[in-house]
Amino acid sequence: MHLPGKNDYIDIHTHDAVPVKNIFSIDVLMAHEERLPERKKGILYSYGIHPWHLNEFNQEDQLASVKKITADPLVIAVGETGFDRIRGPSMELQCRIFEEQVRIAERLGKPVVVHCVRAWDELLLQHKRLNPGMPWLVHGFRGKPDLARQLVSRGMYISFWFEFIIKPESAKLIRSVPKERIFLETDGADVDIRDIYNKVTLDLGIPVDELKSLIRNNFFDFFRT
Ligand SMILES: [Zn+2]
């Protein structure tokens, strides 16, 4: 398996990734799509059931795909999966399918990528209840420093929402999260991960090479590689 190199910018959460020199991406495949992991330079995968695309009728098929495809060595995480109170099926179904995926991840020794919208109580509750051995990454985060602290205290990692992170007011949040728990992402939007790195180096007052090595270390910790 290829891993991020010293000079690579890591995009921890994107969709439909294409190889770009010096960018290492985790391409998030969703079980309702028909995309499958493919060997491509600088790209590895996460695979899971997105709550927006989950319902009573497709749950079994999607779970069967997760069981099968997450075993592929190119898939190094399970997700995105999680909780969404704005869009998606009942919280009961979201929780059940989330738990199934956490169990698959634990069996495989792979971490979990979490989508969470207005359901932080549920996420924290499930983390306490399931008490996983593998870490979870909350992607697209734009909450308060206090909430970030609660997630970090449960051993979680945080990747910031691409649209928020480039704004000046995000500096306070970025500085408040322990550096060994941060990741950056584009979420497949039309933004450049290198611009996001540049903004965060200013917020943290460190050179870009230092930020690269920091996030690369976080990558190795998170994926236990
Ligand atoms: Zn996403």
Side-chain angles (χ1 to χ4, degrees):
M1 187 173 71
H2 54 301
L3 291 167
K6 260 196 154 78
N7 290 319
D8 286 349
Y9 294 84
I10 296 174
D11 186 348
I12 203 71
H13 185 112
T14 187
H15 298 269
D16 305 305
V18 289
V20 176
K21 194 173 182 292
N22 286 139
I23 297 181
F24 194 97
S25 299
I26 300 298
D27 191 343
V28 179
L29 305 172
M30 299 181 277
H32 73 281
E33 303 175 311
E34 264 149 29
R35 298 173 59 227
L36 291 170
E38 271 176 71
R39 195 168 291 278
K40 287 183 194 163
K41 197 171 164 16
I43 299 174
L44 288 173
Y45 299 88
S46 180
Y47 190 96
I49 303 172
H50 195 296
W52 291 358
H53 304 284
L54 168 67
N55 60 53
E56 293 287 348
F57 308 103
N58 66 20
Q59 52 167 323
E60 288 307 324
D61 283 354
Q62 291 204 63
L63 262 183
S65 303
V66 173
K67 278 186 194 138
K68 189 167 141 222
I69 292 159
T70 52
D72 187 317
L74 291 175
V75 177
I76 61 168
V78 176
E80 58 188 299
T81 172
F83 313 98
D84 197 316
R85 283 218 173 87
I86 306 294
R87 192 173 155 192
S90 70
M91 208 34 68
E92 189 272 325
L93 179 59
Q94 293 190 37
C95 282
R96 185 150 47 78
I97 296 301
F98 179 81
E99 180 173 343
E100 293 267 11
Q101 290 175 92
V102 169
R103 294 196 190 287
I104 293 166
E106 290 288 301
R107 251 195 325 270
L108 293 166
K110 296 180 182 183
V112 173
V113 178
V114 174
H115 166 106
C116 187
V117 176
R118 296 201 191 167
W120 301 104
D121 50 342
E122 198 60 59
L123 176 65
L124 286 160
L125 191 78
Q126 294 304 330
H127 195 274
K128 281 192 192 108
R129 197 172 69 83
L130 299 169
N131 194 27
M134 292 305 295
W136 296 2
L137 165 71
V138 174
H139 104 89
F141 188 80
R142 54 172 151 164
K144 296 267 184 297
D146 242 14
L147 176 57
R149 249 190 301 278
Q150 283 186 64
L151 301 172
V152 165
S153 76
R154 300 280 325 158
M156 292 187 221
Y157 289 71
I158 291 179
S159 176
F160 303 98
W161 189 40
F162 67 90
E163 229 170 69
F164 175 65
I165 199 80
I166 53 168
K167 293 184 179 156
E169 59 265 35
S170 68
K172 197 173 142 231
L173 173 66
I174 296 161
R175 291 192 200 115
S176 78
V177 178
K179 291 188 186 64
E180 62 277 8
R181 295 298 179 79
I182 62 169
F183 282 111
L184 302 173
E185 66 175 60
T186 62
D187 203 4
D190 191 18
V191 289
D192 192 321
I193 194 70
R194 291 166 289 208
D195 293 339
I196 297 177
Y197 266 68
N198 287 336
K199 156 69 165 59
V200 172
T201 59
L202 298 176
D203 293 339
L204 294 178
I206 58 174
V208 72
D209 284 344
E210 198 176 322
L211 184 60
K212 281 183 184 172
S213 92
L214 185 107
I215 291 185
R216 186 163 166 265
N217 287 336
N218 295 351
F219 182 99
F220 295 136
D221 284 342
F222 179 67
F223 292 105
R224 306 277 160 88
T225 49

